[in-house]
Amino acid sequence: MWSQDMSLTKQSIEDRMTDFVESCRRRGVRVTHQRLEIYREVASLETHPDADTVFRRVRKRIPTIALDTVYRNLKSLAELGLVSIVGTSPERLRFDANVRRHHHFVCVRCGSIQDFCSESLGGVEPPPEANALGEPVSMHLEVKGVCKNCGTRTKRRR
Ligand SMILES: [Zn+2]
Ligand SMILES: [Zn+2]
């Protein structure tokens, strides 16, 4: 069962870190200091950051790190299923440490991506039409709209 409270406490970030280290060990992936710090940023941001955002934050702790290193690490974490990739624009991939089944509310004005869970959508399986194209790994639904922040801003301006 999903937790309905999806806000991140210090504890839940630590839990994600612990799970991450365990998953890496299980898969025989080396947990380097860099990789851990990169994951920490994705895990502590609910905003589904892009590689550049992660880079700017990690650089505060590891000043010698390069954007390319951050990008390559994020991509390999995604291939391992330890983070998921959000969006399809290759020049601006965004990363999500929430690998549990969930969906996104994407704001068409500010581009923010917020997680939500829905019990009715939770049980939906990929249709046979998708199976015919390949082997489904996960299914993800995106709701587009105007987020509360942008909605109230428009109202205030009137
Ligand atoms: Zn918005
Ligand atoms: Zn998400």
Side-chain angles (χ1 to χ4, degrees):
M1 192 48 68
W2 287 316
S3 146
Q4 288 304 307
D5 178 20
M6 304 201 56
S7 63
L8 289 172
T9 57
K10 223 170 170 220
Q11 185 56 49
S12 58
I13 296 167
E14 285 313 312
D15 289 347
R16 280 180 167 184
M17 297 303 293
T18 311
D19 285 352
F20 174 72
V21 173
E22 270 169 26
S23 306
C24 285
R25 296 236 166 95
R26 236 183 293 128
R27 283 163 223 221
V29 179
R30 221 154 50 90
V31 187
T32 61
H33 175 57
Q34 281 190 344
R35 196 164 266 180
L36 202 61
E37 291 306 311
I38 289 167
Y39 180 78
R40 185 190 301 280
E41 292 307 335
V42 183
S44 49
L45 290 168
E46 281 184 295
T47 51
H48 305 80
D50 60 7
D52 199 52
T53 306
V54 175
F55 166 65
R56 277 185 276 114
R57 294 174 62 111
V58 172
R59 202 172 45 175
K60 287 182 194 154
R61 292 194 303 277
I62 313 176
T64 52
I65 203 160
L67 174 59
D68 187 57
T69 309
V70 172
Y71 189 72
R72 271 187 291 112
N73 271 289
L74 286 169
K75 288 277 277 203
S76 55
L77 292 181
E79 273 161 34
L80 292 162
L82 297 167
V83 300
S84 48
I85 290 180
V86 183
T88 43
S89 154
E91 61 272 21
R92 200 166 182 268
L93 293 179
R94 291 169 69 162
F95 299 88
D96 194 345
N98 185 356
V99 288
R100 291 174 306 166
R101 201 165 190 189
H102 70 284
H103 307 287
H104 286 148
F105 184 94
V106 182
C107 178
V108 294
R109 290 211 188 130
C110 67
S112 68
I113 302 171
Q114 296 176 75
D115 288 345
F116 73 90
C117 289
S118 153
E119 275 195 43
S120 57
L121 291 174
V124 179
E125 292 299 326
E129 290 82 354
N131 288 295
L133 300 172
E135 197 189 321
V137 178
S138 65
M139 195 170 70
H140 172 90
L141 189 108
E142 190 175 279
V143 174
K144 288 200 168 141
V146 177
C147 78
K148 280 186 180 165
N149 256 337
C150 293
T152 41
R153 222 179 294 148
T154 319
K155 264 177 225 149
R156 251 184 252 137
R157 227 181 281 141
R158 272 176 202 152

